[in-house]
Amino acid sequence: QVQLVESGGGLVQAGGSLRLSCAASGNIFSIFAMGWYRQAPGKQRELVARITTAGTTNYADSVKGRFTISGDNAKNTVYLQMNNLKPEDTAVYYCNAALPSRPYNYWGQGTQVTVSS
């Protein structure tokens, strides 16, 4: 079992910044990647950014150059620094931990990010 606790969402004006945090606990040694996904009303959940235990990162095209994912192994925490936020970034953001075997994925409870124009 892996537990993920997110924090850092909120309301911000367009052009502003937020930092999301996701603390992992439990059987963390089986995790090979962690990431952030988001889901806006009426839309499918989509990958925002991901980082592997080797430090490899990948981003959705829509956030490249604005968002940065990073990890602190000592704290078992992953961060998502979001700069120059846009109204279209408004969504519930979910932390994800990926494993090589079942159940393959764990999810956090989600944190709301709202960007006003």
Side-chain angles (χ1 to χ4, degrees):
Q1 286 279 348
V2 173
Q3 294 78 40
L4 302 173
V5 178
E6 303 143 337
S7 61
L11 173 64
V12 65
Q13 288 188 334
S17 299
L18 285 173
R19 189 177 81 155
L20 305 182
S21 301
C22 175
S25 61
N27 188 20
I28 61 172
F29 298 105
S30 59
I31 297 172
F32 71 85
M34 291 187 68
W36 289 94
Y37 289 70
R38 66 187 181 188
Q39 188 167 18
K43 295 188 176 182
Q44 289 189 331
R45 190 173 297 189
E46 63 176 359
L47 174 68
V48 176
R50 190 171 184 249
I51 184 167
T52 70
T53 52
T56 302
T57 58
N58 61 290
Y59 297 89
D61 288 342
S62 59
V63 307
K64 284 180 181 177
R66 300 188 297 122
F67 291 11
T68 302
I69 190 169
S70 61
D72 184 334
N73 290 334
K75 297 182 178 180
N76 300 321
T77 299
V78 171
Y79 304 97
L80 184 68
Q81 178 66 43
M82 305 185 292
N83 298 328
N84 190 22
L85 282 158
K86 303 177 180 180
E88 51 263 43
D89 295 318
T90 295
V92 178
Y93 284 69
Y94 296 91
C95 180
N96 169 269
L99 288 74
S101 58
R102 291 181 185 275
Y104 298 118
N105 288 288
Y106 285 97
W107 296 93
Q109 78 280 6
T111 185
Q112 177 71 45
V113 171
T114 302
V115 184
S116 63
S117 57

